[in-house]
Amino acid sequence: MTRIDILGALSLWWNSRKEIEMAKAHLNFVAQASRRFKMVGAGVAFVFLTLALAPSAEVRAQVYTVLDTAGTATSRTAFSVSGSTGQLIGSAQLVGPQFTLTQRSVLTKIEALVNNCAVMIAGVPQCPNTLPFVVQIRRSINGAPDPRLLIAAVPLTHDNDPLTVSMESAALDEVPLEPGTYFALFAPQQESDAGFLLSNANGGAYQAGMTTIGIVTFSGSFADTGFVAVRIAAKVVPLHKHASRDHEDR
């Protein structure tokens, strides 16, 4: 074999070896890419599975109507005080409906058709500088509002129009309430204010629904039935497991 043949053979052997090494590297790259794809695919599948199993915001919220005696009235409903009657609200008498919660909840909205004007003479209001009514949440004790313990209170919106009965509202979404029976009582913030919780308007053309109402006076509290225009909505607030364990440890 000549020197030229030997060099040619060595060159052929070297090129073949390089091709084999390149083929091995290519196969290794393909294998690693395949494993990565599988891992990414599994991750994507896990994300999609998690999203599919996670409850929607609507399910988690579970907003529901607790009480609705307002009927056809909406948040924009308003009536003239002329031809309207209702349950007296004053410093000497707090009044409002009874409601029951079947799950631990917060009250997302309390709406009521009210008027805040103590005196009107010949159609002229005599009620300057009124403040918004407040809604108080009290427990039911033996079927009547607890006259001593006040769970929470929040001001209603205030149209400041003594000639109009308006749908005023408030929210107590920071105060979780356990399952049970309660009263939502409407009260003035100052002794000089007084008004009423609407029962009917337009000479009876609008009629609120009948329900159990609670009344608190200086002498105590009692329950009765009456027509009042109130709507209460709530949202379920689950008790977290760690909070439950903390409670059990105590």
Side-chain angles (χ1 to χ4, degrees):
M1 182 178 290
T2 65
R3 185 172 181 273
I4 295 175
D5 291 334
I6 293 172
L7 290 174
L10 288 173
S11 176
L12 180 63
W13 172 80
W14 178 254
N15 289 336
S16 298
R17 183 177 176 182
K18 286 178 66 178
E19 289 177 0
I20 291 171
E21 293 296 327
M22 289 175 64
K24 286 182 178 179
H26 178 70
L27 290 174
N28 187 47
F29 171 80
V30 171
Q32 289 182 0
S34 177
R35 285 196 297 271
R36 288 173 183 170
F37 177 78
K38 288 179 181 178
M39 291 175 66
V40 171
V44 172
F46 175 77
V47 170
F48 279 122
L49 180 61
T50 302
L51 291 175
L53 294 178
S56 67
E58 183 179 357
V59 172
R60 288 197 303 269
Q62 296 188 48
V63 176
Y64 63 100
T65 300
V66 178
L67 175 75
D68 188 356
T69 57
T72 59
T74 70
S75 58
R76 297 185 177 183
T77 296
F79 297 105
S80 169
V81 292
S82 177
S84 298
T85 61
Q87 302 287 336
L88 175 66
I89 300 172
S91 58
Q93 176 173 297
L94 319 182
V95 64
Q98 181 189 77
F99 66 93
T100 299
L101 298 176
T102 59
Q103 302 178 74
R104 188 173 188 266
S105 307
V106 292
L107 304 181
T108 57
K109 182 174 282 189
I110 303 171
E111 295 180 298
L113 282 166
V114 295
N115 173 264
N116 186 355
C117 186
V119 180
M120 196 169 297
I121 300 176
V124 179
Q126 307 294 317
C127 46
N129 305 317
T130 57
L131 293 177
F133 284 145
V134 298
V135 57
Q136 301 179 353
I137 305 302
R138 296 175 182 260
R139 292 188 184 278
S140 174
I141 297 181
N142 299 322
D146 186 339
R148 296 181 179 83
L149 180 61
L150 178 64
I151 296 175
V154 63
L156 296 170
T157 54
H158 186 40
D159 66 354
N160 200 28
D161 184 354
L163 297 176
T164 302
V165 181
S166 300
M167 184 71 87
E168 309 291 4
S169 64
L172 279 165
D173 48 13
E174 298 297 325
V175 183
L177 299 174
E178 299 301 324
T181 300
Y182 301 84
F183 286 89
L185 303 182
F186 298 92
Q189 293 193 64
Q190 54 191 6
E191 190 174 351
S192 59
D193 287 348
F196 61 90
L197 176 58
L198 188 70
S199 295
N200 60 71
N202 291 343
Y206 170 81
Q207 179 70 61
M210 176 179 281
T211 189
T212 300
I213 60 173
I215 298 172
V216 174
T217 66
F218 292 136
S219 59
S221 67
F222 62 94
D224 201 348
T225 56
F227 296 95
V228 291
V230 179
R231 183 177 291 122
I232 301 175
K235 179 175 66 176
V236 173
V237 179
L239 183 63
H240 299 295
K241 290 183 179 180
H242 64 80
S244 178
R245 286 196 298 267
D246 291 344
H247 179 73
E248 290 174 0
D249 291 341
R250 293 172 188 167

